[in-house]
Amino acid sequence: MFVTDFIEKVARVSKALTTKSPAVPDVHKHAVHNPQRYRGMHEIDYETCIGCDSCNKICPTNAIEMKKLPFKKQNIVPEVNLSVCIFCGLCEDVCPTKPKKSIKLSGGRYDMLTGGWHEDQDSFWVNVDIPEEYIKSRLEAEEADRVKKELAKKKREAQAKAKAEAESKAIL
Ligand code: SF4
Ligand code: SF4
């Protein structure tokens, strides 16, 4: 009995030492944290977000902070502190943008696994980094829209003035 146990143990240890597959799978190749119910970290689309603040208001743990953007409209976008987020998904549920939610839990991606420790809460955020070109083009579009509205307003005022003058002449 003793000899059999000993031989079995030796066989198990030898197999463990010589096997080629690692004890822990490479999570970047095999999404082990990818069950159907795993909701993953947030994806935030700054292009479709309308800055309504609903996700921030509904978050039960204050995990969301709205980042200010240099635009006149749609000038805030959410960022998420994953160290206090409870992954309830309410932010995604309440987001009104269609057909795609501007904030959504990525559904099974394993990006939250990192190689090291997070030294503080600030290193565990889903941040939104907007490229300079996008900011420039949005600002240009806003300025073009402002000029267009200004011209339309002047045109309306001129038409109203001309109409009033024509009416006063008709009375005389
Ligand atoms: S998943 Fe829930 S807790 Fe996390 S940011 Fe969204 S609303 Fe807040
Ligand atoms: S609810 Fe959606 S549209 Fe509104 S601020 Fe949040 S991400 Fe943007």
Side-chain angles (χ1 to χ4, degrees):
M1 189 68 181
F2 174 77
V3 175
T4 315
D5 282 353
F6 179 74
I7 292 170
E8 276 179 9
K9 277 180 188 167
V10 169
R12 273 207 308 276
V13 171
S14 303
K15 191 180 171 191
L17 290 174
T18 55
T19 184
K20 284 186 181 169
S21 57
V24 178
D26 181 348
V27 294
H28 295 283
K29 286 185 185 151
H30 312 286
V32 288
H33 288 254
N34 196 17
Q36 275 191 333
R37 283 169 294 168
Y38 177 65
R39 304 199 67 180
M41 68 186 287
H42 302 64
E43 289 178 343
I44 298 161
D45 188 338
Y46 58 81
E47 293 195 42
T48 57
C49 172
I50 59 171
C52 68
D53 203 30
S54 301
C55 51
N56 181 29
K57 283 182 184 147
I58 205 166
C59 177
T61 61
N62 284 336
I64 293 178
E65 279 187 15
M66 301 306 288
K67 177 179 182 167
K68 285 198 171 60
L69 304 176
F71 312 127
K72 286 201 172 70
K73 292 178 185 168
Q74 297 171 233
N75 57 0
I76 46 174
V77 72
E79 294 188 320
V80 183
N81 184 349
L82 293 175
S83 62
V84 291
C85 172
I86 55 171
F87 304 95
C88 63
L90 285 173
C91 52
E92 177 181 335
D93 294 342
V94 80
C95 181
T97 62
K98 290 177 181 170
K100 184 179 167 247
K101 302 271 185 181
S102 299
I103 184 167
K104 65 191 214 50
L105 291 121
S106 56
R109 281 173 37 196
Y110 44 83
D111 312 43
M112 289 172 65
L113 300 176
T114 65
W117 294 97
H118 293 283
E119 288 170 8
D120 52 45
Q121 287 197 349
D122 287 341
S123 64
F124 211 29
W125 280 77
V126 178
N127 290 121
V128 177
D129 295 315
I130 304 183
E132 284 298 320
E133 307 83 63
Y134 178 81
I135 292 176
K136 193 166 165 256
S137 70
R138 272 279 304 271
L139 289 173
E140 284 171 358
E142 279 192 346
E143 178 59 12
D145 190 46
R146 187 194 67 75
V147 170
K148 194 176 159 192
K149 282 182 179 157
E150 187 71 26
L151 287 173
K153 187 181 166 197
K154 281 184 181 163
K155 191 178 171 189
R156 279 198 307 277
E157 287 171 352
Q159 284 171 342
K161 192 178 169 193
K163 190 180 171 192
E165 282 174 358
E167 284 172 355
S168 67
K169 275 181 193 166
I171 293 169
L172 293 174

